[in-house]
Amino acid sequence: MRKGGRTEVEITIHRPGELTPELRRAWHRAMDESPEYSNPFLAPEFAIGVGRYRRGARVAILHQGGEPAGFLPYERGPFGTGRAVGLGLSDCQALVHRPGVTWNAEELLRACGLSIFEFDHLVEEQRPFAPHVTGTFASPVIDVKPGDGGYPEWLRGTYPGLAKTTLKKERRLGRDIGEVRFEFDERDPEVLRTLMRWKSAQYRRTGRMDRFSRPWIVGLVDHLFRVREEHFTGVLSVLYAGDRPVAAHFGPRSSTVLAAWFTAYDPELHYYSPGLMMHLRTAEAAARHGVTLVDLGRGDKEYKDWLKTRELRVAEGFAARPHPVALAQRLWRRPVRGLRNTVNAHPQLREPADRLLRTVGRMRTEGVAAPPGARKNRLPEG
């Protein structure tokens, strides 16, 4: 693939389930050698999980000097359209490679049989894709480290502005419902089902697409919950009051990074701010379990502004080679993304849009037919 004094790169295409233990070890080694690739969404286990439910999932493997040195998971659709694996679910995307590996985006697409490759959370380091980026966005993260004491001491030292109010609400929750306790790595699948029910109800209340109405997403989450490997583990964290689950979070973790993915809480207890409690408890416990970074994911949310210690940058765009299908795909997808980004970037637009979505969600929940225009013009979820 790359000649002229440099080692040529050869590309082979595989289904995720065909990856041998040797290839997975090489992929993990590439993650370990570059900190920007330590996110669990970039691990082979995530691609393998998606591949169980998405027939078009593939992995392009770059070989340099006969050794596997780079890995691009993707999904191939009709007419050579392509997208990052798990697009819409994955909060981090990249061609994971060992240091010094180079490639050409157009040649890569040709080898994959793609006319276009869509991404929306691309690691900023991916220079060969840079000419195809249509926008970059902040992705808040929390740098965490173990505290010297327990949770209250950690909270007061890390978030003094939130500590007093949060601890007061936790004490009230304990008095009203039952003793508050937290499990960082809960293994009860019934609690995972409870989390999915809460999240589905939240999606419907806010007028957004219910991801858990899609069987393949439910199947993927169930599968990842059972994965327990050194480089990838599905972590279910739960806040209890007595024996009652109050809030829960499920997300994947690598050896050093925990991805914030699905968080929800019992809506009957919303006045205790259980969602914020959940994020704070999870960050503190993650540090005690070896995590150094909690990735909150791209998106403007008030709680992310409260919790973040810094921001990474992720990119969206369409890598393409000259092809009529690529042009048609860009013309169709780019305006949709542009509309969503414009709304999310301007509070004066975002807040009315959220109110509209909540109104639509409330009418659906109450069994009232929403106005046809409200359904058809629903904004994409951020």
Side-chain angles (χ1 to χ4, degrees):
M1 180 177 174
R2 178 72 67 179
K3 301 180 180 180
R6 299 182 182 179
T7 304
E8 183 175 358
V9 173
E10 298 180 354
I11 300 176
T12 58
I13 308 300
H14 307 255
R15 295 181 184 272
E18 298 171 349
L19 295 175
T20 65
E22 292 76 14
L23 289 173
R24 291 171 63 180
R25 282 194 292 269
W27 192 330
H28 290 147
R29 186 164 61 248
M31 293 177 65
D32 291 341
E33 291 177 354
S34 299
E36 61 267 29
Y37 301 141
S38 57
N39 192 289
F41 287 115
L42 301 181
E45 288 78 11
F46 181 72
I48 291 169
V50 173
R52 291 169 62 97
Y53 303 96
R54 306 286 283 179
R55 290 184 300 173
R58 299 288 188 273
V59 178
I61 301 181
L62 281 62
H63 302 263
Q64 192 171 60
E67 297 292 327
F71 304 84
L72 176 70
Y74 65 96
E75 294 182 45
R76 191 179 190 279
F79 309 110
T81 58
R83 49 193 280 167
V85 72
L87 188 80
L89 289 176
S90 167
D91 285 340
C92 191
Q93 301 147 5
L95 190 159
V96 178
H97 63 85
R98 302 186 68 179
V101 175
T102 59
W103 77 95
N104 175 277
E106 187 173 325
E107 293 176 2
L108 175 64
L109 295 188
R110 185 175 293 107
C112 295
L114 300 179
S115 57
I116 191 169
F117 173 70
E118 181 180 358
F119 50 86
D120 64 357
H121 287 76
L122 189 74
V123 172
E124 191 174 30
E125 181 273 345
Q126 302 275 281
R127 293 178 182 174
F129 288 135
H132 308 283
V133 167
T134 58
T136 62
F137 304 87
S139 185
V141 299
I142 309 173
D143 296 290
V144 294
K145 58 183 178 180
D148 295 330
Y151 170 72
E153 293 77 17
W154 174 87
L155 183 58
R156 292 188 186 101
T158 308
Y159 297 103
L162 292 174
K164 183 177 180 180
T165 301
T166 302
L167 292 172
K168 182 179 179 180
K169 288 186 175 183
E170 287 198 8
R171 289 192 295 269
R172 185 186 305 160
L173 177 64
R175 289 194 303 268
D176 295 347
I177 307 298
E179 181 181 359
V180 176
R181 61 185 177 89
F182 178 77
E183 294 290 340
F184 176 69
D185 190 13
E186 174 64 79
R187 302 313 302 165
D188 185 352
E190 287 305 312
V191 184
L192 180 64
R193 295 291 177 189
T194 298
L195 168 60
M196 286 192 275
R197 286 196 299 271
W198 285 342
K199 198 67 180 177
S200 286
Q202 177 188 335
Y203 286 138
R204 294 193 297 271
R205 284 195 310 272
T206 56
R208 290 173 166 83
M209 186 273 291
D210 179 6
R211 290 176 174 175
F212 290 115
S213 67
R214 300 187 174 186
W216 81 268
I217 295 180
V218 174
L220 174 63
V221 170
D222 276 337
H223 167 75
L224 297 181
F225 172 68
R226 296 191 297 271
V227 177
R228 303 184 68 77
E229 303 287 348
E230 178 183 356
H231 285 77
F232 188 102
T233 299
V235 179
L236 174 65
S237 301
V238 186
L239 183 70
Y240 290 93
D243 294 329
R244 178 178 177 176
V246 172
H249 167 265
F250 178 76
R253 67 160 290 184
S254 64
S255 55
T256 59
V257 177
L258 173 67
W261 206 15
F262 295 112
T263 302
Y265 57 84
D266 187 339
E268 294 181 2
L269 304 176
H270 66 91
Y271 39 83
Y272 294 104
S273 301
L276 181 59
M277 290 182 193
M278 188 73 235
H279 287 294
L280 291 167
R281 287 273 189 172
T282 301
E284 186 269 342
R288 288 189 280 105
H289 286 78
V291 169
T292 60
L293 188 79
V294 177
D295 190 338
L296 298 175
R298 169 186 164 186
D300 294 318
K301 298 290 184 182
E302 189 175 33
Y303 77 86
K304 295 182 182 183
D305 289 335
W306 290 343
L307 302 181
K308 70 182 180 183
T309 56
R310 59 188 172 96
E311 295 176 341
L312 306 178
R313 301 296 297 183
V314 295
E316 70 175 34
F318 304 86
R321 56 193 180 94
H323 196 283
V325 170
L327 177 60
Q329 181 80 350
R330 260 202 308 257
L331 290 174
W332 173 55
R333 291 288 294 163
R334 189 166 180 173
V336 175
R337 289 201 172 277
L339 174 60
R340 184 205 65 191
N341 294 334
T342 298
V343 171
N344 286 336
H346 296 84
Q348 66 270 31
L349 297 176
R350 186 173 66 245
E351 292 170 9
D354 279 341
R355 285 197 298 270
L356 173 62
L357 290 173
R358 289 179 185 278
T359 299
V360 172
R362 186 170 60 251
M363 288 190 290
R364 288 177 175 174
T365 301
E366 295 172 353
V368 179
R375 288 182 187 270
K376 293 178 181 178
N377 297 321
R378 187 175 68 186
L379 295 173
E381 183 181 7

